[in-house]
Short mmCIF file of all heavy atoms in Angstrom, two decimals:
data_model
loop_
_atom_site.label_atom_id
_atom_site.label_comp_id
_atom_site.label_asym_id
_atom_site.label_seq_id
_atom_site.Cartn_x
_atom_site.Cartn_y
_atom_site.Cartn_z
N LEU A 1 -60.37 -14.87 17.28
CA LEU A 1 -61.67 -14.76 17.94
C LEU A 1 -62.60 -15.89 17.51
O LEU A 1 -63.40 -16.40 18.31
CB LEU A 1 -62.32 -13.41 17.61
CG LEU A 1 -61.67 -12.16 18.19
CD1 LEU A 1 -62.40 -10.92 17.70
CD2 LEU A 1 -61.65 -12.19 19.72
N VAL A 2 -62.49 -16.29 16.25
CA VAL A 2 -63.37 -17.34 15.73
C VAL A 2 -63.14 -18.66 16.47
O VAL A 2 -64.10 -19.36 16.82
CB VAL A 2 -63.16 -17.52 14.22
CG1 VAL A 2 -63.86 -18.77 13.70
CG2 VAL A 2 -63.67 -16.29 13.46
N VAL A 3 -61.86 -19.01 16.71
CA VAL A 3 -61.57 -20.29 17.37
C VAL A 3 -61.50 -20.14 18.89
O VAL A 3 -61.37 -21.13 19.60
CB VAL A 3 -60.28 -20.92 16.84
CG1 VAL A 3 -60.40 -21.21 15.35
CG2 VAL A 3 -59.06 -20.04 17.12
N GLY A 4 -61.54 -18.92 19.39
CA GLY A 4 -61.54 -18.69 20.83
C GLY A 4 -60.23 -18.99 21.50
O GLY A 4 -60.21 -19.37 22.69
N ALA A 5 -59.12 -18.82 20.78
CA ALA A 5 -57.82 -19.11 21.37
C ALA A 5 -56.74 -18.37 20.59
O ALA A 5 -56.94 -17.98 19.44
CB ALA A 5 -57.53 -20.62 21.33
N VAL A 6 -55.59 -18.19 21.23
CA VAL A 6 -54.43 -17.63 20.55
C VAL A 6 -53.83 -18.74 19.69
O VAL A 6 -53.32 -19.73 20.22
CB VAL A 6 -53.39 -17.10 21.57
CG1 VAL A 6 -52.10 -16.72 20.86
CG2 VAL A 6 -53.96 -15.90 22.31
N ASP A 7 -53.93 -18.60 18.39
CA ASP A 7 -53.50 -19.66 17.49
C ASP A 7 -53.07 -19.06 16.16
O ASP A 7 -53.89 -18.46 15.46
CB ASP A 7 -54.62 -20.67 17.29
CG ASP A 7 -54.16 -21.89 16.51
OD1 ASP A 7 -54.03 -21.79 15.28
OD2 ASP A 7 -53.91 -22.94 17.14
N ASP A 8 -51.80 -19.22 15.81
CA ASP A 8 -51.29 -18.64 14.57
C ASP A 8 -51.96 -19.22 13.34
O ASP A 8 -52.19 -18.51 12.35
CB ASP A 8 -49.78 -18.87 14.47
CG ASP A 8 -48.98 -17.95 15.37
OD1 ASP A 8 -49.61 -17.12 16.06
OD2 ASP A 8 -47.74 -18.05 15.40
N HIS A 9 -52.27 -20.50 13.35
CA HIS A 9 -52.84 -21.14 12.16
C HIS A 9 -54.25 -20.61 11.88
O HIS A 9 -54.61 -20.37 10.72
CB HIS A 9 -52.84 -22.65 12.34
CG HIS A 9 -51.50 -23.20 12.65
ND1 HIS A 9 -50.49 -23.30 11.72
CD2 HIS A 9 -50.96 -23.66 13.82
CE1 HIS A 9 -49.41 -23.81 12.28
NE2 HIS A 9 -49.66 -24.03 13.55
N ALA A 10 -55.04 -20.41 12.93
CA ALA A 10 -56.36 -19.81 12.75
C ALA A 10 -56.24 -18.36 12.32
O ALA A 10 -56.99 -17.88 11.45
CB ALA A 10 -57.16 -19.91 14.05
N ALA A 11 -55.28 -17.63 12.90
CA ALA A 11 -55.09 -16.22 12.55
C ALA A 11 -54.78 -16.06 11.08
O ALA A 11 -55.26 -15.12 10.42
CB ALA A 11 -53.97 -15.63 13.41
N ARG A 12 -54.00 -16.98 10.52
CA ARG A 12 -53.51 -16.85 9.14
C ARG A 12 -54.45 -17.46 8.11
O ARG A 12 -54.15 -17.45 6.91
CB ARG A 12 -52.14 -17.55 9.04
CG ARG A 12 -51.05 -16.87 9.84
CD ARG A 12 -49.89 -17.84 10.15
NE ARG A 12 -49.35 -18.45 8.96
CZ ARG A 12 -48.36 -17.94 8.24
NH1 ARG A 12 -47.80 -16.79 8.63
NH2 ARG A 12 -47.91 -18.55 7.18
N ALA A 13 -55.60 -17.96 8.55
CA ALA A 13 -56.49 -18.69 7.63
C ALA A 13 -56.99 -17.82 6.48
O ALA A 13 -57.30 -18.34 5.40
CB ALA A 13 -57.68 -19.27 8.40
N GLY A 14 -57.09 -16.51 6.68
CA GLY A 14 -57.58 -15.64 5.62
C GLY A 14 -56.52 -15.21 4.63
O GLY A 14 -56.85 -14.58 3.61
N LEU A 15 -55.25 -15.55 4.87
CA LEU A 15 -54.18 -15.10 3.97
C LEU A 15 -54.37 -15.63 2.55
O LEU A 15 -54.07 -14.93 1.58
CB LEU A 15 -52.82 -15.55 4.50
CG LEU A 15 -52.21 -14.74 5.64
CD1 LEU A 15 -50.88 -15.33 6.06
CD2 LEU A 15 -52.04 -13.27 5.23
N ILE A 16 -54.86 -16.86 2.42
CA ILE A 16 -55.00 -17.44 1.08
C ILE A 16 -56.01 -16.65 0.25
O ILE A 16 -55.86 -16.50 -0.97
CB ILE A 16 -55.39 -18.93 1.16
CG1 ILE A 16 -55.35 -19.56 -0.22
CG2 ILE A 16 -56.74 -19.12 1.82
CD1 ILE A 16 -54.01 -19.50 -0.91
N LEU A 17 -57.05 -16.11 0.89
CA LEU A 17 -58.02 -15.30 0.16
C LEU A 17 -57.41 -13.99 -0.30
O LEU A 17 -57.63 -13.55 -1.44
CB LEU A 17 -59.24 -15.04 1.04
CG LEU A 17 -60.04 -16.28 1.45
CD1 LEU A 17 -61.13 -15.90 2.44
CD2 LEU A 17 -60.65 -16.95 0.23
N LEU A 18 -56.62 -13.34 0.56
CA LEU A 18 -55.94 -12.11 0.16
C LEU A 18 -54.94 -12.39 -0.95
O LEU A 18 -54.76 -11.56 -1.86
CB LEU A 18 -55.25 -11.49 1.37
CG LEU A 18 -56.16 -11.06 2.52
CD1 LEU A 18 -55.34 -10.56 3.70
CD2 LEU A 18 -57.15 -10.00 2.07
N HIS A 19 -54.29 -13.55 -0.89
CA HIS A 19 -53.34 -13.91 -1.94
C HIS A 19 -54.09 -14.16 -3.26
O HIS A 19 -53.63 -13.72 -4.33
CB HIS A 19 -52.57 -15.17 -1.53
CG HIS A 19 -51.49 -15.54 -2.48
ND1 HIS A 19 -50.36 -14.79 -2.65
CD2 HIS A 19 -51.37 -16.59 -3.33
CE1 HIS A 19 -49.57 -15.36 -3.57
NE2 HIS A 19 -50.17 -16.45 -3.99
N ALA A 20 -55.23 -14.86 -3.20
CA ALA A 20 -56.02 -15.09 -4.40
C ALA A 20 -56.50 -13.77 -5.00
O ALA A 20 -56.51 -13.59 -6.23
CB ALA A 20 -57.22 -15.99 -4.08
N SER A 21 -56.88 -12.82 -4.15
CA SER A 21 -57.31 -11.52 -4.64
C SER A 21 -56.17 -10.79 -5.35
O SER A 21 -56.41 -10.07 -6.32
CB SER A 21 -57.83 -10.67 -3.48
OG SER A 21 -58.27 -9.41 -3.94
N ALA A 22 -54.93 -10.98 -4.88
CA ALA A 22 -53.79 -10.35 -5.55
C ALA A 22 -53.63 -10.90 -6.96
O ALA A 22 -53.31 -10.16 -7.91
CB ALA A 22 -52.52 -10.58 -4.73
N VAL A 23 -53.81 -12.21 -7.13
CA VAL A 23 -53.75 -12.81 -8.47
C VAL A 23 -54.86 -12.24 -9.35
O VAL A 23 -54.63 -11.87 -10.51
CB VAL A 23 -53.88 -14.34 -8.37
CG1 VAL A 23 -53.95 -14.97 -9.75
CG2 VAL A 23 -52.70 -14.92 -7.59
N LEU A 24 -56.06 -12.15 -8.80
CA LEU A 24 -57.18 -11.61 -9.57
C LEU A 24 -56.99 -10.14 -9.89
O LEU A 24 -57.43 -9.66 -10.94
CB LEU A 24 -58.48 -11.81 -8.79
CG LEU A 24 -58.92 -13.26 -8.60
CD1 LEU A 24 -60.16 -13.33 -7.71
CD2 LEU A 24 -59.19 -13.94 -9.93
N ALA A 25 -56.31 -9.40 -9.00
CA ALA A 25 -56.06 -7.98 -9.27
C ALA A 25 -55.18 -7.81 -10.50
O ALA A 25 -55.41 -6.91 -11.33
CB ALA A 25 -55.38 -7.33 -8.05
N VAL A 26 -54.18 -8.67 -10.67
CA VAL A 26 -53.33 -8.62 -11.87
C VAL A 26 -54.17 -8.94 -13.10
O VAL A 26 -54.01 -8.32 -14.16
CB VAL A 26 -52.15 -9.59 -11.73
CG1 VAL A 26 -51.29 -9.57 -12.99
CG2 VAL A 26 -51.30 -9.23 -10.52
N TYR A 27 -55.06 -9.92 -12.97
CA TYR A 27 -55.96 -10.24 -14.08
C TYR A 27 -56.81 -9.03 -14.46
O TYR A 27 -56.99 -8.72 -15.64
CB TYR A 27 -56.85 -11.42 -13.71
CG TYR A 27 -58.01 -11.61 -14.65
CD1 TYR A 27 -57.83 -12.21 -15.89
CD2 TYR A 27 -59.29 -11.16 -14.31
CE1 TYR A 27 -58.88 -12.36 -16.77
CE2 TYR A 27 -60.35 -11.31 -15.18
CZ TYR A 27 -60.14 -11.91 -16.41
OH TYR A 27 -61.20 -12.04 -17.27
N VAL A 28 -57.36 -8.36 -13.45
CA VAL A 28 -58.20 -7.19 -13.72
C VAL A 28 -57.39 -6.11 -14.46
O VAL A 28 -57.86 -5.53 -15.44
CB VAL A 28 -58.77 -6.63 -12.40
CG1 VAL A 28 -59.44 -5.27 -12.63
CG2 VAL A 28 -59.77 -7.61 -11.80
N LEU A 29 -56.18 -5.86 -13.99
CA LEU A 29 -55.34 -4.83 -14.63
C LEU A 29 -55.11 -5.16 -16.10
O LEU A 29 -55.29 -4.31 -16.97
CB LEU A 29 -54.02 -4.73 -13.89
CG LEU A 29 -53.03 -3.67 -14.40
CD1 LEU A 29 -53.56 -2.27 -14.13
CD2 LEU A 29 -51.67 -3.86 -13.75
N GLY A 30 -54.71 -6.41 -16.38
CA GLY A 30 -54.42 -6.78 -17.77
C GLY A 30 -55.66 -6.87 -18.63
O GLY A 30 -55.67 -6.39 -19.78
N SER A 31 -56.71 -7.48 -18.10
CA SER A 31 -57.90 -7.71 -18.92
C SER A 31 -58.66 -6.43 -19.22
O SER A 31 -59.18 -6.25 -20.32
CB SER A 31 -58.83 -8.72 -18.24
OG SER A 31 -59.34 -8.20 -17.03
N ARG A 32 -58.73 -5.52 -18.26
CA ARG A 32 -59.50 -4.30 -18.48
C ARG A 32 -58.75 -3.27 -19.29
O ARG A 32 -59.36 -2.50 -20.03
CB ARG A 32 -59.93 -3.70 -17.13
CG ARG A 32 -60.88 -4.55 -16.31
CD ARG A 32 -62.15 -4.92 -17.09
NE ARG A 32 -62.79 -3.76 -17.68
CZ ARG A 32 -63.65 -2.98 -17.04
NH1 ARG A 32 -63.98 -3.25 -15.79
NH2 ARG A 32 -64.20 -1.95 -17.64
N LEU A 33 -57.42 -3.24 -19.16
CA LEU A 33 -56.65 -2.22 -19.90
C LEU A 33 -56.21 -2.71 -21.28
O LEU A 33 -55.96 -1.89 -22.17
CB LEU A 33 -55.44 -1.79 -19.08
CG LEU A 33 -55.76 -1.10 -17.76
CD1 LEU A 33 -54.48 -0.72 -17.03
CD2 LEU A 33 -56.62 0.14 -17.97
N ILE A 34 -56.10 -4.04 -21.46
CA ILE A 34 -55.66 -4.56 -22.76
C ILE A 34 -56.72 -5.55 -23.27
O ILE A 34 -57.58 -5.19 -24.05
CB ILE A 34 -54.26 -5.20 -22.66
CG1 ILE A 34 -53.26 -4.16 -22.12
CG2 ILE A 34 -53.80 -5.69 -24.05
CD1 ILE A 34 -51.87 -4.68 -21.89
N ASN A 35 -56.64 -6.80 -22.86
CA ASN A 35 -57.67 -7.77 -23.21
C ASN A 35 -57.60 -8.94 -22.23
O ASN A 35 -56.68 -9.03 -21.42
CB ASN A 35 -57.54 -8.26 -24.66
CG ASN A 35 -56.17 -8.85 -24.95
OD1 ASN A 35 -55.67 -9.68 -24.18
ND2 ASN A 35 -55.56 -8.45 -26.05
N ARG A 36 -58.59 -9.84 -22.33
CA ARG A 36 -58.70 -10.93 -21.36
C ARG A 36 -57.50 -11.86 -21.40
O ARG A 36 -57.01 -12.29 -20.35
CB ARG A 36 -59.98 -11.73 -21.62
CG ARG A 36 -60.31 -12.72 -20.50
CD ARG A 36 -61.55 -13.50 -20.83
NE ARG A 36 -61.33 -14.41 -21.95
CZ ARG A 36 -62.32 -15.01 -22.63
NH1 ARG A 36 -63.58 -14.75 -22.32
NH2 ARG A 36 -62.05 -15.83 -23.62
N ARG A 37 -57.01 -12.17 -22.58
CA ARG A 37 -55.86 -13.07 -22.71
C ARG A 37 -54.64 -12.49 -21.99
O ARG A 37 -53.92 -13.19 -21.28
CB ARG A 37 -55.55 -13.30 -24.19
CG ARG A 37 -54.40 -14.27 -24.44
CD ARG A 37 -54.17 -14.41 -25.94
NE ARG A 37 -53.05 -15.28 -26.23
CZ ARG A 37 -53.11 -16.61 -26.28
NH1 ARG A 37 -54.27 -17.22 -26.06
NH2 ARG A 37 -52.04 -17.33 -26.55
N THR A 38 -54.41 -11.19 -22.18
CA THR A 38 -53.31 -10.53 -21.48
C THR A 38 -53.49 -10.63 -19.98
O THR A 38 -52.53 -10.88 -19.24
CB THR A 38 -53.23 -9.05 -21.90
OG1 THR A 38 -53.04 -8.97 -23.31
CG2 THR A 38 -52.11 -8.33 -21.19
N GLY A 39 -54.72 -10.45 -19.50
CA GLY A 39 -54.98 -10.53 -18.07
C GLY A 39 -54.66 -11.91 -17.52
O GLY A 39 -54.07 -12.04 -16.44
N VAL A 40 -55.05 -12.96 -18.25
CA VAL A 40 -54.80 -14.32 -17.78
C VAL A 40 -53.30 -14.61 -17.74
O VAL A 40 -52.78 -15.18 -16.77
CB VAL A 40 -55.52 -15.35 -18.67
CG1 VAL A 40 -55.17 -16.77 -18.23
CG2 VAL A 40 -57.02 -15.14 -18.62
N ILE A 41 -52.59 -14.21 -18.79
CA ILE A 41 -51.14 -14.44 -18.83
C ILE A 41 -50.45 -13.68 -17.70
O ILE A 41 -49.56 -14.21 -17.02
CB ILE A 41 -50.57 -14.05 -20.21
CG1 ILE A 41 -51.11 -14.99 -21.29
CG2 ILE A 41 -49.04 -14.07 -20.19
CD1 ILE A 41 -50.77 -14.57 -22.71
N ALA A 42 -50.84 -12.43 -17.50
CA ALA A 42 -50.22 -11.63 -16.43
C ALA A 42 -50.50 -12.25 -15.06
O ALA A 42 -49.60 -12.33 -14.20
CB ALA A 42 -50.76 -10.20 -16.48
N ALA A 43 -51.74 -12.70 -14.84
CA ALA A 43 -52.07 -13.34 -13.57
C ALA A 43 -51.25 -14.60 -13.36
O ALA A 43 -50.80 -14.90 -12.24
CB ALA A 43 -53.57 -13.66 -13.53
N ALA A 44 -51.04 -15.38 -14.43
CA ALA A 44 -50.25 -16.61 -14.32
C ALA A 44 -48.80 -16.30 -14.01
O ALA A 44 -48.16 -16.99 -13.19
CB ALA A 44 -50.37 -17.41 -15.62
#
């Protein structure tokens, strides 16, 4: 809808944000339940 056309590349533009959120979710799990260092290692 944003680009006004049927286009797979425009449709998929938000995937990288959802992927980044998945990395941050692992960080949240490790950092909040154990410590920040664990969260960073788990996210990596």
Side-chain angles (χ1 to χ4, degrees):
L1 291 177
V2 169
V3 299
V6 171
D7 187 283
D8 284 359
H9 305 287
R12 293 158 55 89
L15 282 179
I16 188 60
L17 296 174
L18 298 176
H19 185 69
S21 181
V23 175
L24 294 175
V26 178
Y27 167 78
V28 170
L29 182 68
S31 65
R32 295 304 309 275
L33 296 180
I34 303 176
N35 57 48
R36 191 182 69 195
R37 182 181 178 84
T38 301
V40 176
I41 293 171

